[in-house]
Amino acid sequence: MSVHAFNPALPSRPGLTVVPDPEDVERTVDADIFRSVFRRHAAGVVVITADAGNGPVGFTATSLVSVSLLPPLVSFSIATTASSWPTVHRADSLVINFLDAGQHEIAGRFATSGVDRFAEPTRWSRLRTGEPVLDEAPSYLRGLVEHRFAVADHHIVVARLATHAERREHEPLLYHDGRYATTDRPS
């Protein structure tokens, strides 16, 4: 049965058919379903660091996305209640530290509330421009904050990428199904 024969609002595409799956049951998206769906969505793990003049802050993020090639823009989200938010709110620039597959301890540390994330064993330094950077990050991007948008209980931050350093090749650290993972690349 052709879709366009029963739904004129859909564009006509020859050969497109709809076969209803009796197992498909649509449900309203609540907090539990939201968490469940996104647990199955693998995301890259980064640590975002910044300093607005009161000392370094950092947090683990899985929300980093590319926004634009020209100009080079990225975005990420941060909870308004996050301990790093006041600094990210005031900072003009920040660093996106990419993590490799073996750095789940760093990701866990920067995702833990109530600890000094920059204390030992964290190894960090400052870029010539003043931003904190993780010494063990295999690569990083320095970005200039262009926009901050309040969205529900989070803010979306948009940054224009200024500089990049690739210290070594690496397999990415991913977050999937409630735990850290990596890609399984065939040899």
Side-chain angles (χ1 to χ4, degrees), residues 6 18 22 41 45 54 67-68 73 79 108 128 134 139-140 148 151 158 163 180 186:
F6 291 97
V18 174
H41 175 71
V45 180
N54 295 324
V67 174
S68 170
L73 299 173
R128 285 178 287 145
L134 300 181
S139 68
Y140 66 84
R148 295 172 187 88
V151 181
V158 178
T163 58
Y180 295 109

mmCIF file of all heavy atoms in Angstrom, residues 6 18 22 41 45 54 67-68 73 79 108 128 134 139-140 148 151 158 163 180 186:
data_model
loop_
_atom_site.group_PDB
_atom_site.id
_atom_site.type_symbol
_atom_site.label_atom_id
_atom_site.label_comp_id
_atom_site.label_asym_id
_atom_site.label_seq_id
_atom_site.Cartn_x
_atom_site.Cartn_y
_atom_site.Cartn_z
ATOM 1 N N PHE A 6 -2.862 7.346 0.838
ATOM 2 C CA PHE A 6 -3.675 7.554 2.029
ATOM 3 C C PHE A 6 -3.336 8.832 2.784
ATOM 4 O O PHE A 6 -4.076 9.231 3.655
ATOM 5 C CB PHE A 6 -3.538 6.349 2.978
ATOM 6 C CG PHE A 6 -4.175 5.132 2.417
ATOM 7 C CD1 PHE A 6 -3.420 4.189 1.756
ATOM 8 C CD2 PHE A 6 -5.541 4.952 2.520
ATOM 9 C CE1 PHE A 6 -4.016 3.068 1.217
ATOM 10 C CE2 PHE A 6 -6.141 3.830 1.988
ATOM 11 C CZ PHE A 6 -5.379 2.885 1.324
ATOM 12 N N VAL A 18 4.546 1.971 3.738
ATOM 13 C CA VAL A 18 4.566 1.940 5.185
ATOM 14 C C VAL A 18 4.002 0.608 5.629
ATOM 15 O O VAL A 18 2.902 0.233 5.250
ATOM 16 C CB VAL A 18 3.723 3.090 5.785
ATOM 17 C CG1 VAL A 18 3.641 2.953 7.297
ATOM 18 C CG2 VAL A 18 4.304 4.433 5.397
ATOM 19 N N PRO A 22 3.379 -3.882 14.612
ATOM 20 C CA PRO A 22 2.483 -3.988 15.764
ATOM 21 C C PRO A 22 3.216 -3.814 17.096
ATOM 22 O O PRO A 22 2.597 -3.558 18.115
ATOM 23 C CB PRO A 22 1.875 -5.381 15.639
ATOM 24 C CG PRO A 22 2.751 -6.125 14.700
ATOM 25 C CD PRO A 22 3.448 -5.105 13.840
ATOM 26 N N HIS A 41 22.365 6.292 23.021
ATOM 27 C CA HIS A 41 22.986 7.159 22.016
ATOM 28 C C HIS A 41 24.426 7.426 22.441
ATOM 29 O O HIS A 41 24.672 8.103 23.427
ATOM 30 C CB HIS A 41 22.211 8.474 21.912
ATOM 31 C CG HIS A 41 22.842 9.474 21.006
ATOM 32 N ND1 HIS A 41 22.853 9.322 19.640
ATOM 33 C CD2 HIS A 41 23.488 10.633 21.273
ATOM 34 C CE1 HIS A 41 23.475 10.358 19.106
ATOM 35 N NE2 HIS A 41 23.878 11.159 20.075
ATOM 36 N N VAL A 45 33.160 12.162 24.621
ATOM 37 C CA VAL A 45 33.385 12.742 25.943
ATOM 38 C C VAL A 45 34.526 13.747 25.863
ATOM 39 O O VAL A 45 35.602 13.438 25.348
ATOM 40 C CB VAL A 45 33.732 11.651 26.974
ATOM 41 C CG1 VAL A 45 33.975 12.262 28.348
ATOM 42 C CG2 VAL A 45 32.631 10.596 27.032
ATOM 43 N N ASN A 54 38.708 33.707 38.838
ATOM 44 C CA ASN A 54 38.605 33.199 40.211
ATOM 45 C C ASN A 54 39.127 31.783 40.354
ATOM 46 O O ASN A 54 38.733 31.074 41.274
ATOM 47 C CB ASN A 54 37.152 33.261 40.685
ATOM 48 C CG ASN A 54 36.641 34.676 40.791
ATOM 49 O OD1 ASN A 54 37.392 35.571 41.169
ATOM 50 N ND2 ASN A 54 35.395 34.894 40.452
ATOM 51 N N VAL A 67 28.707 23.197 14.923
ATOM 52 C CA VAL A 67 27.581 24.038 14.526
ATOM 53 C C VAL A 67 27.805 24.591 13.128
ATOM 54 O O VAL A 67 26.911 24.571 12.296
ATOM 55 C CB VAL A 67 27.378 25.195 15.536
ATOM 56 C CG1 VAL A 67 26.310 26.171 15.053
ATOM 57 C CG2 VAL A 67 27.015 24.646 16.898
ATOM 58 N N SER A 68 29.010 25.087 12.870
ATOM 59 C CA SER A 68 29.280 25.759 11.607
ATOM 60 C C SER A 68 30.740 25.564 11.227
ATOM 61 O O SER A 68 31.615 25.579 12.096
ATOM 62 C CB SER A 68 28.972 27.257 11.760
ATOM 63 O OG SER A 68 29.436 27.995 10.651
ATOM 64 N N LEU A 73 32.288 27.071 14.501
ATOM 65 C CA LEU A 73 31.551 27.199 15.752
ATOM 66 C C LEU A 73 31.193 25.829 16.298
ATOM 67 O O LEU A 73 30.883 24.910 15.532
ATOM 68 C CB LEU A 73 30.252 27.987 15.540
ATOM 69 C CG LEU A 73 30.359 29.418 15.037
ATOM 70 C CD1 LEU A 73 28.969 29.979 14.732
ATOM 71 C CD2 LEU A 73 31.074 30.296 16.052
ATOM 72 N N ALA A 79 24.269 22.561 32.729
ATOM 73 C CA ALA A 79 23.158 22.804 33.653
ATOM 74 C C ALA A 79 23.374 24.126 34.380
ATOM 75 O O ALA A 79 24.484 24.448 34.793
ATOM 76 C CB ALA A 79 23.033 21.665 34.666
ATOM 77 N N GLY A 108 35.511 10.849 34.788
ATOM 78 C CA GLY A 108 34.778 10.641 36.028
ATOM 79 C C GLY A 108 35.068 11.711 37.067
ATOM 80 O O GLY A 108 34.165 12.181 37.766
ATOM 81 N N ARG A 128 49.127 30.118 26.837
ATOM 82 C CA ARG A 128 49.689 31.480 26.852
ATOM 83 C C ARG A 128 48.602 32.529 27.034
ATOM 84 O O ARG A 128 48.844 33.604 27.573
ATOM 85 C CB ARG A 128 50.448 31.761 25.558
ATOM 86 C CG ARG A 128 51.794 31.073 25.497
ATOM 87 C CD ARG A 128 52.485 31.323 24.189
ATOM 88 N NE ARG A 128 51.772 30.524 23.190
ATOM 89 C CZ ARG A 128 51.551 30.863 21.930
ATOM 90 N NH1 ARG A 128 51.991 31.990 21.463
ATOM 91 N NH2 ARG A 128 50.896 30.075 21.123
ATOM 92 N N LEU A 134 44.120 20.622 30.189
ATOM 93 C CA LEU A 134 44.569 19.356 30.770
ATOM 94 C C LEU A 134 45.815 18.878 30.035
ATOM 95 O O LEU A 134 45.808 18.723 28.811
ATOM 96 C CB LEU A 134 43.462 18.308 30.691
ATOM 97 C CG LEU A 134 42.169 18.654 31.422
ATOM 98 C CD1 LEU A 134 41.154 17.532 31.283
ATOM 99 C CD2 LEU A 134 42.435 18.981 32.885
ATOM 100 N N SER A 139 44.259 16.088 22.515
ATOM 101 C CA SER A 139 44.069 17.262 21.667
ATOM 102 C C SER A 139 43.112 18.217 22.372
ATOM 103 O O SER A 139 42.378 17.819 23.283
ATOM 104 C CB SER A 139 43.547 16.891 20.277
ATOM 105 O OG SER A 139 42.233 16.398 20.347
ATOM 106 N N TYR A 140 43.157 19.464 21.949
ATOM 107 C CA TYR A 140 42.235 20.434 22.516
ATOM 108 C C TYR A 140 41.938 21.532 21.514
ATOM 109 O O TYR A 140 42.679 21.754 20.553
ATOM 110 C CB TYR A 140 42.758 21.035 23.833
ATOM 111 C CG TYR A 140 44.010 21.881 23.696
ATOM 112 C CD1 TYR A 140 43.934 23.232 23.336
ATOM 113 C CD2 TYR A 140 45.265 21.344 23.944
ATOM 114 C CE1 TYR A 140 45.083 24.004 23.219
ATOM 115 C CE2 TYR A 140 46.414 22.097 23.826
ATOM 116 C CZ TYR A 140 46.313 23.440 23.471
ATOM 117 O OH TYR A 140 47.445 24.201 23.346
ATOM 118 N N ARG A 148 25.379 32.643 24.699
ATOM 119 C CA ARG A 148 24.867 31.791 25.776
ATOM 120 C C ARG A 148 23.346 31.906 25.721
ATOM 121 O O ARG A 148 22.816 33.009 25.793
ATOM 122 C CB ARG A 148 25.372 32.252 27.136
ATOM 123 C CG ARG A 148 26.869 32.130 27.325
ATOM 124 C CD ARG A 148 27.284 32.795 28.651
ATOM 125 N NE ARG A 148 28.715 32.855 28.792
ATOM 126 C CZ ARG A 148 29.483 33.853 28.338
ATOM 127 N NH1 ARG A 148 28.942 34.873 27.705
ATOM 128 N NH2 ARG A 148 30.778 33.831 28.515
ATOM 129 N N VAL A 151 18.018 27.659 28.120
ATOM 130 C CA VAL A 151 17.048 26.704 27.598
ATOM 131 C C VAL A 151 16.652 25.780 28.746
ATOM 132 O O VAL A 151 17.439 24.933 29.163
ATOM 133 C CB VAL A 151 17.635 25.880 26.424
ATOM 134 C CG1 VAL A 151 16.596 24.905 25.882
ATOM 135 C CG2 VAL A 151 18.164 26.781 25.327
ATOM 136 N N VAL A 158 27.735 28.725 22.751
ATOM 137 C CA VAL A 158 28.299 28.657 21.405
ATOM 138 C C VAL A 158 29.663 29.340 21.437
ATOM 139 O O VAL A 158 29.778 30.473 21.932
ATOM 140 C CB VAL A 158 27.384 29.343 20.363
ATOM 141 C CG1 VAL A 158 28.022 29.299 18.973
ATOM 142 C CG2 VAL A 158 26.006 28.689 20.349
ATOM 143 N N THR A 163 42.007 28.267 18.255
ATOM 144 C CA THR A 163 43.233 27.492 18.056
ATOM 145 C C THR A 163 42.984 26.032 18.397
ATOM 146 O O THR A 163 42.032 25.688 19.095
ATOM 147 C CB THR A 163 44.395 28.025 18.933
ATOM 148 O OG1 THR A 163 44.010 27.984 20.298
ATOM 149 C CG2 THR A 163 44.779 29.450 18.533
ATOM 150 N N TYR A 180 31.571 4.424 30.241
ATOM 151 C CA TYR A 180 32.539 4.881 29.253
ATOM 152 C C TYR A 180 32.904 3.734 28.334
ATOM 153 O O TYR A 180 32.978 2.574 28.749
ATOM 154 C CB TYR A 180 33.774 5.450 29.941
ATOM 155 C CG TYR A 180 33.459 6.691 30.733
ATOM 156 C CD1 TYR A 180 33.469 6.691 32.121
ATOM 157 C CD2 TYR A 180 33.080 7.871 30.096
ATOM 158 C CE1 TYR A 180 33.146 7.827 32.843
ATOM 159 C CE2 TYR A 180 32.749 9.009 30.816
ATOM 160 C CZ TYR A 180 32.793 8.986 32.178
ATOM 161 O OH TYR A 180 32.456 10.098 32.891
ATOM 162 N N PRO A 186 37.737 -2.197 13.303
ATOM 163 C CA PRO A 186 38.352 -3.422 12.768
ATOM 164 C C PRO A 186 39.794 -3.148 12.363
ATOM 165 O O PRO A 186 40.117 -2.064 11.900
ATOM 166 C CB PRO A 186 37.499 -3.774 11.557
ATOM 167 C CG PRO A 186 36.533 -2.660 11.366
ATOM 168 C CD PRO A 186 36.656 -1.711 12.508
#
